[in-house]
Amino acid sequence: MSYLLDFQHALVSVVTTDGRLFVGRLEGYDLATNLLLAHTHEMVVSPDGTEVLPLGLFMLRGSTVVCCGLLDEDLYAKIDWATVKGQPLKSTKNSY
């Protein structure tokens, strides 16, 4: 978990086990990888464009976090998300 120390107060992207994508500023975390994000948005990608849903202060349970990475804030600010199209991410959970 020590690598998250470098991400503190930075803009991060988080992918969860159900294929959801969250972007926000990492405000806190613990040893179970529970993440506290401020100014959070969920990015809902579809073939018609990407919908950006504002969530504000948001906590992600560590057991649902697949990966967390830093974002280039300048590049991120230049993206017109309404024009970004793609297939939604599939769930990473096994189906039984």
Side-chain angles (χ1 to χ4, degrees):
M1 296 314 310
S2 62
Y3 74 91
L4 285 177
L5 185 59
D6 296 334
F7 294 7
Q8 193 84 25
H9 307 295
L11 191 64
V12 296
S13 173
V14 180
V15 177
T16 60
T17 55
D18 58 357
R20 295 168 73 186
L21 174 62
F22 297 92
V23 174
R25 199 159 298 280
L26 182 63
E27 294 299 326
Y29 62 92
D30 64 13
L31 292 175
T33 321
N34 295 312
L35 304 178
L36 182 63
L37 302 178
H39 312 291
T40 310
H41 292 86
E42 181 177 3
M43 316 303 277
V44 181
V45 179
S46 75
D48 300 323
T50 299
E51 185 178 0
V52 180
L53 305 173
L55 302 173
L57 189 62
F58 198 75
M59 184 170 179
L60 288 163
R61 190 177 178 108
S63 62
T64 68
V65 174
V66 173
C67 65
C68 176
L70 288 174
L71 289 179
D72 180 325
E73 293 193 43
D74 294 331
L75 181 61
Y76 179 78
K78 293 177 185 176
I79 298 172
D80 179 8
W81 285 102
T83 64
V84 175
K85 298 177 182 180
Q87 297 300 316
L89 293 173
K90 294 182 180 177
S91 173
T92 60
K93 290 188 175 185
N94 293 327
S95 57
Y96 297 101

